[in-house]
Amino acid sequence: MPFVQLQVISAYSLLKSTLSIEKLVVSAKERGYKALALTDHNVMYGIVDFYKICMKHNIKPIIGITLDIQGTIDTQKEYPIILLAKNKIGYHNLMKLSSKKMLMEHDETLNPEVIKEFSEGLIAITPGKDSEFEFFLLSEEQESAKKVLNTQQKLFTSDSYFIGLQLHEKTGEIQAKLKALQSPLLIKTVALGDVHYLDPSDHFSNEVLKAIGSGEKVSLADVTTTTGPYSLLEEKQQIEKFVSVGLKIASEQTNLIAETINVEIELNQHLLPRFDVPEQIDTSTYLKELCFKGLSRRKPDYTIDYQERLEYELAIIHKMGFEDYFLIVWDLMAYAHKVGIVTGAGRGSAAGSLVSYVLSITDVDPIQYNLLFERFLNEERYTMPDIDLDFPDNRREEMLEYTKNKYGQEHVAQIATFGTLAAKMALRDVARVFELSQIEANEWSNTIPKTLGITLKVAYEQSKSLRELVQKNEKNTLLFDTAKKIEGLPRHVSTHAAGVVISDEPLNKYLPLQKGSSSIHLTQYPMGNVEEIGLLKMDFLGLKNLSIIDNTLKLIKKQTQEDVNLLSIPMNDSQTLELFAKADTVGIFQFESSGIK
């Protein structure tokens, strides 16, 4: 019977694993696996990519997490438990549990009773040597071990809780002690491979990665680059290892669990939020009324071509179901104008929309400049509308706060992005762990050519000084080889500079959340995954240029007691055009680069 790896962490368990999602899945396929789990620590960062790559390579994806929960005996401590989604309900419950954990304060612990509330569709496995159960079993505290099992088992249905058994120096002792507990408890055991990296030789680089995360050093005297217990063994080799220690049935149980699992992640949905319109009116009618009022304000003597264009755009918007989107953006911009926040005039394809112009989302008349609406929206190519909203960088937070208050904290989030170990960062981090001085670390860093996105491999080919430094001694060679192994892995999670997602339903129905840098939550999925799911992503861009314009207007007001309307400034001002002709455009948004000059 096939074996399935049910305990696997990737590089998205930040600084704890050297496994990229792509490398993990491709290698699992090559090594004979038909199904594979991903159980990162408390988070689900890589789940969508894992699911897609598994489907591409014809491997059954098993979606899970290793969740830290409050101890049964010592409630001041946390212990991990593996949770796997059996079905769609289980997947949604995993997202909710991960969100609850990642939205907690650092000193809070997750009460197991919370898991009971969201246990439907989940399989639970004690994670071997790190589990609370195994800790008390090996501590000769059998009653405490039994209490842990009894308590945790009650959180799940009877056929969904398993004791996980790993291969380590005390596996035999664990098996012997289990015999005294098993018969009254009737809990099945399952074999766990515990995968953190690809090959045994990756053990050292993985230890270095963990040391980077913990701020510790590594002892080069104890370096072993050939062995490690957390690698992805060939499927047949993994089975043989478990069978050799009498865990044949536990090994077979992995496949039985995999057979009960069937999770499909829904992608390319159309999850647009709703805008609350006045009673007795629908969104289509309300949007149309706003647009024609706006047209009369913008163009009091508008001609038939404006009316026809507006009706055409509204018909396309209605067919594509985007009325709520335009109303949401209109409301945001109306609030900004109400409280005196300077906004951008509009850019990109959205400037081709007359609807955007009459709603004062943009200040560009597309008919005057002969701009195409179809570049923005086209019913023959269904894509989400994308209007970049430009605000002064010192007032962007006000707009985020308004959005959160308007739609609710559970319905609005900023989008996560991951900082990675680029070439210089990888070298600097490894150098610090190797106890090099700042001067020595700078020497390594200075050998890397100043080329955007350069890799260590390319740097080695291009830089003679780097090659000489690497070949200087064994320690340097080891440092460089280790940096290459961790290069490109995610180092930390941060907030995307612009991306905001708004949802009609609570967001944790569609994706897991975590604490952000402000009162607004952060998605665990990055930008691409958010869009693939089908959620509405909006870009709130904070521009220094608009802050400068805002400050300039305030200074003019202070000195002259006059308000300047930006829209009243003529587009053919000769002095302004002279500056452009001279390419004297430093400080002008999108006109500063050498290419545009």
Side-chain angles (χ1 to χ4, degrees):
M1 185 177 282
F3 179 84
V4 179
Q5 294 284 8
L6 297 177
Q7 187 178 27
V8 183
I9 65 169
S10 74
Y12 283 112
S13 290
L14 299 177
L15 302 179
K16 293 178 182 175
S17 165
T18 57
L19 273 175
S20 71
I21 300 293
E22 180 88 31
K23 186 193 295 183
L24 166 65
V25 175
V26 170
S27 299
K29 180 73 173 179
E30 292 171 349
R31 296 178 189 194
Y33 293 94
K34 301 293 189 296
L36 181 70
L38 182 63
T39 56
D40 277 317
H41 193 198
N42 290 324
V43 297
M44 300 176 71
Y45 297 145
I47 286 297
V48 174
D49 288 339
F50 173 72
Y51 175 83
K52 291 191 304 174
I53 297 170
C54 279
M55 299 304 285
K56 176 183 174 183
H57 292 280
N58 199 28
I59 283 184
K60 186 174 189 176
I62 298 172
I63 294 166
I65 55 174
T66 303
L67 187 69
D68 287 336
I69 63 173
Q70 188 183 86
T72 303
I73 308 301
D74 185 349
T75 57
Q76 299 303 307
K77 289 186 177 180
E78 287 187 318
Y79 294 91
I81 188 168
I82 296 170
L83 301 176
L84 307 175
K86 285 196 283 191
N87 47 37
K88 183 178 178 180
I89 293 173
Y91 171 57
H92 286 165
N93 280 333
L94 274 187
M95 291 192 288
K96 289 171 182 173
L97 286 169
S98 180
S99 299
K100 283 186 175 294
K101 178 62 185 174
M102 296 302 290
L103 289 170
M104 286 181 165
E105 300 297 335
H106 291 302
D107 58 348
E108 291 183 291
T109 55
L110 187 64
N111 192 308
E113 287 300 313
V114 175
I115 293 182
K116 189 173 184 178
E117 182 183 348
F118 299 102
S119 64
E120 185 180 356
L122 295 181
I123 291 170
I125 306 172
T126 65
K129 59 181 171 45
D130 293 326
S131 71
E132 185 180 18
F133 163 69
E134 197 161 303
F135 170 79
F136 284 111
L137 196 66
L138 290 174
S139 301
E140 304 295 339
E141 297 183 47
Q142 314 307 86
E143 288 305 311
S144 292
K146 191 182 293 186
K147 184 178 179 181
V148 170
L149 290 183
N150 275 321
T151 302
Q152 291 187 355
Q153 188 180 24
K154 289 174 183 175
L155 302 176
F156 304 92
T157 56
S158 58
D159 61 342
S160 298
Y161 183 74
F162 298 85
I163 296 172
L165 296 175
Q166 299 169 330
L167 291 174
H168 53 74
E169 66 278 1
K170 295 189 177 181
T171 300
E173 184 182 343
I174 292 288
Q175 287 174 272
K177 292 180 182 295
L178 264 177
K179 287 181 181 179
L181 296 176
Q182 272 297 73
S183 52
L185 291 168
L186 298 174
I187 299 174
K188 294 179 180 177
T189 58
V190 60
L192 296 176
D194 198 12
V195 179
H196 295 198
Y197 42 79
L198 193 58
D199 298 312
S201 59
D202 294 327
H203 180 72
F204 178 70
S205 56
N206 202 73
E207 290 299 299
V208 169
L209 193 67
K210 289 194 290 185
I212 291 170
S214 64
E216 298 174 353
K217 312 295 182 187
V218 292
S219 173
L220 300 185
D222 299 326
V223 169
T224 168
T225 57
T226 55
T227 60
Y230 304 113
S231 62
L232 181 67
L233 299 178
E234 297 276 346
E235 188 224 21
K236 290 181 179 177
Q237 186 183 1
Q238 185 73 82
I239 293 172
E240 289 170 1
K241 285 205 166 198
F242 279 113
V243 171
S244 69
V245 294
L247 292 176
K248 182 175 184 293
I249 295 175
S251 174
E252 293 172 347
Q253 187 67 55
T254 64
N255 189 60
L256 296 175
I257 288 175
E259 287 177 351
T260 68
I261 287 172
N262 185 25
V263 177
E264 179 182 354
I265 296 181
E266 294 179 75
L267 302 176
N268 304 311
Q269 303 173 79
H270 304 309
L271 304 172
L272 289 165
R274 287 199 308 255
F275 183 83
D276 288 334
V277 297
E279 291 184 14
Q280 311 303 321
I281 194 170
D282 58 66
T283 54
S284 182
T285 304
Y286 188 60
L287 178 62
K288 187 172 184 178
E289 287 181 1
L290 286 174
C291 285
F292 274 96
K293 283 180 184 176
L295 179 59
S296 297
R297 187 184 69 255
R298 288 277 202 183
K299 299 284 181 179
D301 302 317
Y302 66 83
T303 52
I304 189 68
D305 53 340
Y306 278 89
Q307 180 179 336
E308 290 176 347
R309 171 69 170 263
L310 190 53
E311 288 176 343
Y312 165 73
E313 289 191 15
L314 286 169
I316 299 297
I317 290 167
H318 179 67
K319 282 183 183 178
M320 300 182 77
F322 292 146
E323 285 103 339
D324 288 283
Y325 173 81
F326 278 90
L327 289 170
I328 288 168
V329 178
W330 161 75
D331 177 71
L332 290 170
M333 296 299 277
Y335 173 77
H337 298 149
K338 177 183 175 182
V339 298
I341 295 176
V342 177
T343 59
R347 57 194 168 99
S349 61
S353 167
L354 184 61
V355 168
S356 296
Y357 176 60
V358 300
L359 291 178
S360 294
I361 294 170
T362 65
D363 292 318
V364 180
D365 180 349
I367 292 181
Q368 180 183 349
Y369 297 103
N370 198 28
L371 302 177
L372 295 174
F373 176 70
E374 289 77 12
R375 260 195 78 219
F376 175 53
L377 283 184
N378 191 324
E379 62 180 322
E380 295 179 10
R381 187 191 74 245
Y382 189 97
T383 55
M384 287 284 205
D386 187 13
I387 300 175
D388 290 339
L389 305 180
D390 296 334
F391 305 109
D393 61 358
N394 61 354
R395 302 196 71 179
R396 179 175 177 270
E397 287 300 320
E398 289 180 53
M399 293 306 303
L400 290 172
E401 195 68 20
Y402 172 75
T403 308
K404 181 195 75 174
N405 294 336
K406 174 87 177 181
Y407 298 98
Q409 187 169 39
E410 303 308 314
H411 300 258
V412 177
Q414 293 183 266
I415 298 174
T417 186
F418 293 94
T420 58
L421 286 155
K424 284 191 176 185
M425 178 63 76
L427 280 175
R428 280 191 172 278
D429 277 339
V430 175
R432 186 170 62 253
V433 169
F434 274 37
E435 299 190 85
L436 268 64
S437 68
Q438 188 63 50
I439 293 172
E440 291 171 312
N442 288 339
E443 183 184 3
W444 278 98
S445 186
N446 292 336
T447 63
I448 306 297
K450 292 180 172 63
T451 305
L452 191 65
I454 194 168
T455 64
L456 289 174
K457 180 182 177 183
V458 173
Y460 187 82
E461 293 168 355
Q462 294 181 359
S463 172
K464 180 183 177 183
S465 59
L466 176 60
R467 291 194 297 274
E468 289 173 348
L469 192 58
V470 171
Q471 296 164 10
K472 189 175 181 180
N473 54 50
E474 287 185 9
K475 179 180 178 180
N476 283 9
T477 303
L478 178 62
L479 189 155
F480 186 71
D481 288 344
T482 304
K484 279 202 299 181
K485 284 190 174 183
I486 68 170
E487 182 185 16
L489 296 177
R491 191 184 192 280
H492 60 270
V493 63
S494 57
T495 305
H496 190 276
V500 177
V501 60
I502 305 173
S503 170
D504 187 33
E505 298 281 345
L507 275 167
N508 65 8
K509 179 178 178 180
Y510 305 116
L511 46 70
L513 301 167
Q514 67 179 58
K515 286 182 77 69
S517 56
S518 65
S519 62
I520 297 174
H521 297 335
L522 193 65
T523 66
Q524 288 188 28
Y525 293 161
M527 178 81 78
N529 294 161
V530 170
E531 292 179 310
E532 285 170 326
I533 288 168
L535 286 161
L536 173 65
K537 181 269 298 181
M538 302 174 73
D539 285 329
F540 287 39
L541 292 117
L543 302 183
K544 182 67 175 175
N545 309 72
L546 286 179
S547 299
I548 293 170
I549 290 172
D550 186 32
N551 290 334
T552 303
L553 294 174
K554 288 174 181 174
L555 282 170
I556 293 171
K557 170 75 171 176
K558 184 178 180 180
Q559 293 182 9
T560 68
Q561 285 73 54
E562 291 184 14
D563 289 309
V564 175
N565 183 350
L566 291 175
L567 299 181
S568 68
I569 298 173
M571 297 297 289
N572 59 353
D573 179 73
S574 58
Q575 290 179 305
T576 303
L577 294 174
E578 188 179 338
L579 287 175
F580 277 86
K582 293 177 179 178
D584 187 6
T585 54
V586 172
I588 299 176
F589 184 55
Q590 294 189 330
F591 281 88
E592 295 185 275
S593 70
S594 57
I596 198 72
K597 285 181 180 181

